Amino acid sequence: MRCLVTGAGGFIGSAVVGRLARDGVPVVGAVRGLSAADHCTRGPSLDRGSDWSSLLAGCDAVVHAAARVHVMRDAASDPLKAYREVNVAGTLRLALQAAEAGVRRFVFISSVKVNGEETRPGVPFTASDRPSPMDPYGVSKAEAEAGLISLAADTGMDVVVVRPPLVYGPGVKANFRTMMHWVARGVPLPLGSVVHNRRSLLAVENLVDLIVTCLRHPAAANQVFLAGDGEDLSTAELLRRLGLAMDVPARLLPMPVWLLMAGARALREEALMRRL
């Protein structure tokens, strides 16, 4: 098997490239800029006009991890349009060219945000749920999934969709890294009472293992997978474990949740508070 991995300069994509290389799988990782990383080369921009033909030549499989990623405060004048250009049009352009090049399996790294933002108590998300994205990023991923499923039916190329939750591990960035920074610096956090929520998390090694399995396993063809470590944590417990991992005690203040929400509304940060 020869595999193309897009987004190979990112957190997930680089981990997939490293794992496939260690497994002895011929792999080429596409990155946005020039790269001296092993097995990586510069790829085209991800949009409706991209030409992936040279990187797809001879490939049997694709892991598509490149995307316009979710951000809390998007500076684009029309975020949904920007997400659609990359995550929908760019993805479907790549997938169509992959099918034309004879690629047998296309693994798409989507997001649990396709399912929605949060679950009701006792009613976890499942792969068979009707998509219910709540923001432009989630909408773009849901539309990409729908387009890929249609393309698979038209071309015969197997498509596998993986919807990860929050992924962590060496080299993690964004919100998870911010939480680590808070804990490491000993910042007092008013989150000690946030103990009744539960959030699924996914170690990058576990995600990569699932992706590699999806590349090879016949039963994965044309399936959608949700994934997690199998242990769902409250915010307070997550912060405590981060402290243990870094050998720094997490300084958690037991402020009532209703007071946190009231303060967040006053500061227009209710969305951030709901995430925490």
Side-chain angles (χ1 to χ4, degrees), residues 116-143:
E117 289 298 314
E118 59 188 70
T119 59
R120 301 188 307 277
V123 188
F125 288 141
T126 72
S128 60
D129 291 346
R130 182 175 181 176
S132 186
M134 302 298 290
D135 66 7
Y137 173 74
V139 168
S140 72
K141 286 291 193 177
E143 290 178 353

PDB file of all heavy atoms in Angstrom, residues 116-143:
ATOM      1  N   GLY A 116     -22.939  17.785  16.719  1.00  0.00           N
ATOM      2  CA  GLY A 116     -23.479  18.899  17.498  1.00  0.00           C
ATOM      3  C   GLY A 116     -22.464  19.380  18.512  1.00  0.00           C
ATOM      4  O   GLY A 116     -21.304  18.954  18.516  1.00  0.00           O
ATOM      5  N   GLU A 117     -22.910  20.256  19.385  1.00  0.00           N
ATOM      6  CA  GLU A 117     -22.013  20.864  20.357  1.00  0.00           C
ATOM      7  C   GLU A 117     -22.013  20.157  21.707  1.00  0.00           C
ATOM      8  O   GLU A 117     -21.021  20.157  22.412  1.00  0.00           O
ATOM      9  CB  GLU A 117     -22.383  22.346  20.567  1.00  0.00           C
ATOM     10  CG  GLU A 117     -22.056  23.218  19.377  1.00  0.00           C
ATOM     11  CD  GLU A 117     -20.569  23.246  19.066  1.00  0.00           C
ATOM     12  OE1 GLU A 117     -19.754  23.400  20.004  1.00  0.00           O
ATOM     13  OE2 GLU A 117     -20.216  23.105  17.883  1.00  0.00           O
ATOM     14  N   GLU A 118     -23.146  19.581  22.094  1.00  0.00           N
ATOM     15  CA  GLU A 118     -23.198  18.918  23.398  1.00  0.00           C
ATOM     16  C   GLU A 118     -24.334  17.911  23.413  1.00  0.00           C
ATOM     17  O   GLU A 118     -25.251  17.969  22.593  1.00  0.00           O
ATOM     18  CB  GLU A 118     -23.390  19.931  24.524  1.00  0.00           C
ATOM     19  CG  GLU A 118     -24.649  20.774  24.413  1.00  0.00           C
ATOM     20  CD  GLU A 118     -24.683  21.885  25.450  1.00  0.00           C
ATOM     21  OE1 GLU A 118     -23.886  22.830  25.343  1.00  0.00           O
ATOM     22  OE2 GLU A 118     -25.524  21.794  26.361  1.00  0.00           O
ATOM     23  N   THR A 119     -24.253  16.970  24.330  1.00  0.00           N
ATOM     24  CA  THR A 119     -25.257  15.925  24.451  1.00  0.00           C
ATOM     25  C   THR A 119     -26.109  16.145  25.686  1.00  0.00           C
ATOM     26  O   THR A 119     -25.701  16.822  26.632  1.00  0.00           O
ATOM     27  CB  THR A 119     -24.596  14.543  24.566  1.00  0.00           C
ATOM     28  OG1 THR A 119     -23.742  14.548  25.713  1.00  0.00           O
ATOM     29  CG2 THR A 119     -23.788  14.218  23.324  1.00  0.00           C
ATOM     30  N   ARG A 120     -27.282  15.557  25.685  1.00  0.00           N
ATOM     31  CA  ARG A 120     -28.113  15.522  26.886  1.00  0.00           C
ATOM     32  C   ARG A 120     -27.578  14.442  27.818  1.00  0.00           C
ATOM     33  O   ARG A 120     -26.984  13.463  27.365  1.00  0.00           O
ATOM     34  CB  ARG A 120     -29.572  15.228  26.536  1.00  0.00           C
ATOM     35  CG  ARG A 120     -30.193  16.241  25.593  1.00  0.00           C
ATOM     36  CD  ARG A 120     -31.702  16.022  25.436  1.00  0.00           C
ATOM     37  NE  ARG A 120     -32.019  14.644  25.069  1.00  0.00           N
ATOM     38  CZ  ARG A 120     -31.977  14.184  23.830  1.00  0.00           C
ATOM     39  NH1 ARG A 120     -31.611  14.975  22.836  1.00  0.00           N
ATOM     40  NH2 ARG A 120     -32.303  12.932  23.571  1.00  0.00           N
ATOM     41  N   PRO A 121     -27.789  14.588  29.129  1.00  0.00           N
ATOM     42  CA  PRO A 121     -27.303  13.563  30.069  1.00  0.00           C
ATOM     43  C   PRO A 121     -27.812  12.178  29.700  1.00  0.00           C
ATOM     44  O   PRO A 121     -29.005  11.977  29.477  1.00  0.00           O
ATOM     45  CB  PRO A 121     -27.871  14.032  31.415  1.00  0.00           C
ATOM     46  CG  PRO A 121     -28.004  15.515  31.267  1.00  0.00           C
ATOM     47  CD  PRO A 121     -28.411  15.731  29.832  1.00  0.00           C
ATOM     48  N   GLY A 122     -26.896  11.230  29.618  1.00  0.00           N
ATOM     49  CA  GLY A 122     -27.264   9.850  29.325  1.00  0.00           C
ATOM     50  C   GLY A 122     -27.544   9.560  27.868  1.00  0.00           C
ATOM     51  O   GLY A 122     -27.931   8.437  27.521  1.00  0.00           O
ATOM     52  N   VAL A 123     -27.345  10.547  26.986  1.00  0.00           N
ATOM     53  CA  VAL A 123     -27.622  10.338  25.559  1.00  0.00           C
ATOM     54  C   VAL A 123     -26.387  10.740  24.759  1.00  0.00           C
ATOM     55  O   VAL A 123     -26.314  11.831  24.209  1.00  0.00           O
ATOM     56  CB  VAL A 123     -28.846  11.151  25.084  1.00  0.00           C
ATOM     57  CG1 VAL A 123     -29.210  10.760  23.644  1.00  0.00           C
ATOM     58  CG2 VAL A 123     -30.024  10.951  26.007  1.00  0.00           C
ATOM     59  N   PRO A 124     -25.386   9.880  24.709  1.00  0.00           N
ATOM     60  CA  PRO A 124     -24.151  10.228  23.985  1.00  0.00           C
ATOM     61  C   PRO A 124     -24.380  10.271  22.483  1.00  0.00           C
ATOM     62  O   PRO A 124     -25.345   9.695  21.958  1.00  0.00           O
ATOM     63  CB  PRO A 124     -23.194   9.090  24.365  1.00  0.00           C
ATOM     64  CG  PRO A 124     -24.103   7.928  24.653  1.00  0.00           C
ATOM     65  CD  PRO A 124     -25.333   8.521  25.290  1.00  0.00           C
ATOM     66  N   PHE A 125     -23.490  10.948  21.788  1.00  0.00           N
ATOM     67  CA  PHE A 125     -23.512  10.942  20.335  1.00  0.00           C
ATOM     68  C   PHE A 125     -23.230   9.533  19.818  1.00  0.00           C
ATOM     69  O   PHE A 125     -22.498   8.758  20.440  1.00  0.00           O
ATOM     70  CB  PHE A 125     -22.427  11.867  19.771  1.00  0.00           C
ATOM     71  CG  PHE A 125     -22.700  13.337  19.947  1.00  0.00           C
ATOM     72  CD1 PHE A 125     -21.665  14.204  20.270  1.00  0.00           C
ATOM     73  CD2 PHE A 125     -23.973  13.865  19.773  1.00  0.00           C
ATOM     74  CE1 PHE A 125     -21.884  15.564  20.420  1.00  0.00           C
ATOM     75  CE2 PHE A 125     -24.212  15.217  19.929  1.00  0.00           C
ATOM     76  CZ  PHE A 125     -23.165  16.076  20.246  1.00  0.00           C
ATOM     77  N   THR A 126     -23.799   9.206  18.653  1.00  0.00           N
ATOM     78  CA  THR A 126     -23.486   7.960  17.965  1.00  0.00           C
ATOM     79  C   THR A 126     -23.230   8.263  16.494  1.00  0.00           C
ATOM     80  O   THR A 126     -23.602   9.318  15.983  1.00  0.00           O
ATOM     81  CB  THR A 126     -24.625   6.931  18.074  1.00  0.00           C
ATOM     82  OG1 THR A 126     -25.722   7.358  17.250  1.00  0.00           O
ATOM     83  CG2 THR A 126     -25.088   6.774  19.511  1.00  0.00           C
ATOM     84  N   ALA A 127     -22.618   7.313  15.826  1.00  0.00           N
ATOM     85  CA  ALA A 127     -22.296   7.491  14.410  1.00  0.00           C
ATOM     86  C   ALA A 127     -23.545   7.544  13.538  1.00  0.00           C
ATOM     87  O   ALA A 127     -23.507   8.063  12.422  1.00  0.00           O
ATOM     88  CB  ALA A 127     -21.378   6.370  13.941  1.00  0.00           C
ATOM     89  N   SER A 128     -24.655   7.014  14.039  1.00  0.00           N
ATOM     90  CA  SER A 128     -25.881   6.984  13.243  1.00  0.00           C
ATOM     91  C   SER A 128     -26.776   8.194  13.486  1.00  0.00           C
ATOM     92  O   SER A 128     -27.842   8.309  12.875  1.00  0.00           O
ATOM     93  CB  SER A 128     -26.670   5.701  13.551  1.00  0.00           C
ATOM     94  OG  SER A 128     -27.021   5.649  14.934  1.00  0.00           O
ATOM     95  N   ASP A 129     -26.371   9.114  14.358  1.00  0.00           N
ATOM     96  CA  ASP A 129     -27.170  10.318  14.602  1.00  0.00           C
ATOM     97  C   ASP A 129     -27.321  11.140  13.328  1.00  0.00           C
ATOM     98  O   ASP A 129     -26.406  11.191  12.485  1.00  0.00           O
ATOM     99  CB  ASP A 129     -26.498  11.212  15.653  1.00  0.00           C
ATOM    100  CG  ASP A 129     -26.516  10.616  17.046  1.00  0.00           C
ATOM    101  OD1 ASP A 129     -27.276   9.649  17.258  1.00  0.00           O
ATOM    102  OD2 ASP A 129     -25.759  11.105  17.897  1.00  0.00           O
ATOM    103  N   ARG A 130     -28.433  11.828  13.223  1.00  0.00           N
ATOM    104  CA  ARG A 130     -28.597  12.795  12.146  1.00  0.00           C
ATOM    105  C   ARG A 130     -27.661  13.965  12.416  1.00  0.00           C
ATOM    106  O   ARG A 130     -27.649  14.503  13.532  1.00  0.00           O
ATOM    107  CB  ARG A 130     -30.036  13.276  12.078  1.00  0.00           C
ATOM    108  CG  ARG A 130     -30.300  14.260  10.943  1.00  0.00           C
ATOM    109  CD  ARG A 130     -31.773  14.600  10.866  1.00  0.00           C
ATOM    110  NE  ARG A 130     -32.039  15.532   9.768  1.00  0.00           N
ATOM    111  CZ  ARG A 130     -33.257  15.939   9.428  1.00  0.00           C
ATOM    112  NH1 ARG A 130     -34.312  15.494  10.110  1.00  0.00           N
ATOM    113  NH2 ARG A 130     -33.427  16.774   8.421  1.00  0.00           N
ATOM    114  N   PRO A 131     -26.852  14.381  11.453  1.00  0.00           N
ATOM    115  CA  PRO A 131     -25.937  15.500  11.690  1.00  0.00           C
ATOM    116  C   PRO A 131     -26.672  16.743  12.175  1.00  0.00           C
ATOM    117  O   PRO A 131     -27.744  17.079  11.674  1.00  0.00           O
ATOM    118  CB  PRO A 131     -25.307  15.732  10.313  1.00  0.00           C
ATOM    119  CG  PRO A 131     -25.368  14.395   9.645  1.00  0.00           C
ATOM    120  CD  PRO A 131     -26.659  13.786  10.107  1.00  0.00           C
ATOM    121  N   SER A 132     -26.070  17.407  13.163  1.00  0.00           N
ATOM    122  CA  SER A 132     -26.675  18.608  13.729  1.00  0.00           C
ATOM    123  C   SER A 132     -25.589  19.629  14.081  1.00  0.00           C
ATOM    124  O   SER A 132     -25.479  20.062  15.228  1.00  0.00           O
ATOM    125  CB  SER A 132     -27.499  18.250  14.974  1.00  0.00           C
ATOM    126  OG  SER A 132     -28.198  19.382  15.458  1.00  0.00           O
ATOM    127  N   PRO A 133     -24.772  20.017  13.093  1.00  0.00           N
ATOM    128  CA  PRO A 133     -23.692  20.970  13.376  1.00  0.00           C
ATOM    129  C   PRO A 133     -24.252  22.337  13.733  1.00  0.00           C
ATOM    130  O   PRO A 133     -25.290  22.747  13.205  1.00  0.00           O
ATOM    131  CB  PRO A 133     -22.912  21.009  12.060  1.00  0.00           C
ATOM    132  CG  PRO A 133     -23.918  20.651  11.011  1.00  0.00           C
ATOM    133  CD  PRO A 133     -24.836  19.654  11.655  1.00  0.00           C
ATOM    134  N   MET A 134     -23.534  23.048  14.599  1.00  0.00           N
ATOM    135  CA  MET A 134     -24.038  24.319  15.121  1.00  0.00           C
ATOM    136  C   MET A 134     -23.175  25.511  14.725  1.00  0.00           C
ATOM    137  O   MET A 134     -23.526  26.642  15.060  1.00  0.00           O
ATOM    138  CB  MET A 134     -24.131  24.239  16.653  1.00  0.00           C
ATOM    139  CG  MET A 134     -25.007  23.119  17.173  1.00  0.00           C
ATOM    140  SD  MET A 134     -26.731  23.275  16.673  1.00  0.00           S
ATOM    141  CE  MET A 134     -27.217  24.699  17.653  1.00  0.00           C
ATOM    142  N   ASP A 135     -22.055  25.287  14.060  1.00  0.00           N
ATOM    143  CA  ASP A 135     -21.215  26.417  13.665  1.00  0.00           C
ATOM    144  C   ASP A 135     -20.683  26.170  12.253  1.00  0.00           C
ATOM    145  O   ASP A 135     -20.829  25.077  11.701  1.00  0.00           O
ATOM    146  CB  ASP A 135     -20.080  26.639  14.670  1.00  0.00           C
ATOM    147  CG  ASP A 135     -19.068  25.512  14.716  1.00  0.00           C
ATOM    148  OD1 ASP A 135     -19.144  24.590  13.882  1.00  0.00           O
ATOM    149  OD2 ASP A 135     -18.180  25.552  15.586  1.00  0.00           O
ATOM    150  N   PRO A 136     -20.090  27.191  11.611  1.00  0.00           N
ATOM    151  CA  PRO A 136     -19.639  27.040  10.220  1.00  0.00           C
ATOM    152  C   PRO A 136     -18.656  25.891  10.012  1.00  0.00           C
ATOM    153  O   PRO A 136     -18.712  25.204   8.984  1.00  0.00           O
ATOM    154  CB  PRO A 136     -18.999  28.394   9.916  1.00  0.00           C
ATOM    155  CG  PRO A 136     -19.720  29.363  10.798  1.00  0.00           C
ATOM    156  CD  PRO A 136     -19.975  28.602  12.069  1.00  0.00           C
ATOM    157  N   TYR A 137     -17.750  25.683  10.966  1.00  0.00           N
ATOM    158  CA  TYR A 137     -16.799  24.593  10.834  1.00  0.00           C
ATOM    159  C   TYR A 137     -17.528  23.250  10.789  1.00  0.00           C
ATOM    160  O   TYR A 137     -17.276  22.416   9.910  1.00  0.00           O
ATOM    161  CB  TYR A 137     -15.811  24.620  11.989  1.00  0.00           C
ATOM    162  CG  TYR A 137     -14.883  23.430  12.054  1.00  0.00           C
ATOM    163  CD1 TYR A 137     -13.827  23.301  11.165  1.00  0.00           C
ATOM    164  CD2 TYR A 137     -15.066  22.433  13.011  1.00  0.00           C
ATOM    165  CE1 TYR A 137     -12.971  22.205  11.219  1.00  0.00           C
ATOM    166  CE2 TYR A 137     -14.218  21.336  13.077  1.00  0.00           C
ATOM    167  CZ  TYR A 137     -13.178  21.232  12.182  1.00  0.00           C
ATOM    168  OH  TYR A 137     -12.336  20.138  12.241  1.00  0.00           O
ATOM    169  N   GLY A 138     -18.428  23.020  11.747  1.00  0.00           N
ATOM    170  CA  GLY A 138     -19.181  21.770  11.771  1.00  0.00           C
ATOM    171  C   GLY A 138     -20.034  21.584  10.532  1.00  0.00           C
ATOM    172  O   GLY A 138     -20.138  20.468   9.997  1.00  0.00           O
ATOM    173  N   VAL A 139     -20.652  22.669  10.055  1.00  0.00           N
ATOM    174  CA  VAL A 139     -21.460  22.597   8.836  1.00  0.00           C
ATOM    175  C   VAL A 139     -20.592  22.165   7.653  1.00  0.00           C
ATOM    176  O   VAL A 139     -20.987  21.304   6.855  1.00  0.00           O
ATOM    177  CB  VAL A 139     -22.126  23.957   8.550  1.00  0.00           C
ATOM    178  CG1 VAL A 139     -22.732  23.981   7.148  1.00  0.00           C
ATOM    179  CG2 VAL A 139     -23.202  24.256   9.584  1.00  0.00           C
ATOM    180  N   SER A 140     -19.399  22.751   7.545  1.00  0.00           N
ATOM    181  CA  SER A 140     -18.527  22.411   6.417  1.00  0.00           C
ATOM    182  C   SER A 140     -18.092  20.945   6.470  1.00  0.00           C
ATOM    183  O   SER A 140     -18.021  20.273   5.430  1.00  0.00           O
ATOM    184  CB  SER A 140     -17.308  23.335   6.382  1.00  0.00           C
ATOM    185  OG  SER A 140     -16.390  23.059   7.435  1.00  0.00           O
ATOM    186  N   LYS A 141     -17.822  20.436   7.652  1.00  0.00           N
ATOM    187  CA  LYS A 141     -17.431  19.032   7.771  1.00  0.00           C
ATOM    188  C   LYS A 141     -18.597  18.112   7.432  1.00  0.00           C
ATOM    189  O   LYS A 141     -18.425  17.063   6.781  1.00  0.00           O
ATOM    190  CB  LYS A 141     -16.920  18.759   9.184  1.00  0.00           C
ATOM    191  CG  LYS A 141     -15.537  19.314   9.466  1.00  0.00           C
ATOM    192  CD  LYS A 141     -14.463  18.573   8.687  1.00  0.00           C
ATOM    193  CE  LYS A 141     -13.067  18.895   9.167  1.00  0.00           C
ATOM    194  NZ  LYS A 141     -12.023  18.127   8.466  1.00  0.00           N
ATOM    195  N   ALA A 142     -19.805  18.472   7.849  1.00  0.00           N
ATOM    196  CA  ALA A 142     -20.984  17.663   7.528  1.00  0.00           C
ATOM    197  C   ALA A 142     -21.239  17.648   6.023  1.00  0.00           C
ATOM    198  O   ALA A 142     -21.567  16.605   5.440  1.00  0.00           O
ATOM    199  CB  ALA A 142     -22.206  18.197   8.275  1.00  0.00           C
ATOM    200  N   GLU A 143     -21.082  18.806   5.388  1.00  0.00           N
ATOM    201  CA  GLU A 143     -21.293  18.872   3.944  1.00  0.00           C
ATOM    202  C   GLU A 143     -20.223  18.082   3.197  1.00  0.00           C
ATOM    203  O   GLU A 143     -20.514  17.431   2.187  1.00  0.00           O
ATOM    204  CB  GLU A 143     -21.299  20.327   3.489  1.00  0.00           C
ATOM    205  CG  GLU A 143     -22.525  21.089   3.967  1.00  0.00           C
ATOM    206  CD  GLU A 143     -22.508  22.560   3.566  1.00  0.00           C
ATOM    207  OE1 GLU A 143     -21.475  23.020   3.020  1.00  0.00           O
ATOM    208  OE2 GLU A 143     -23.522  23.247   3.799  1.00  0.00           O
TER     209      GLU A 143
END
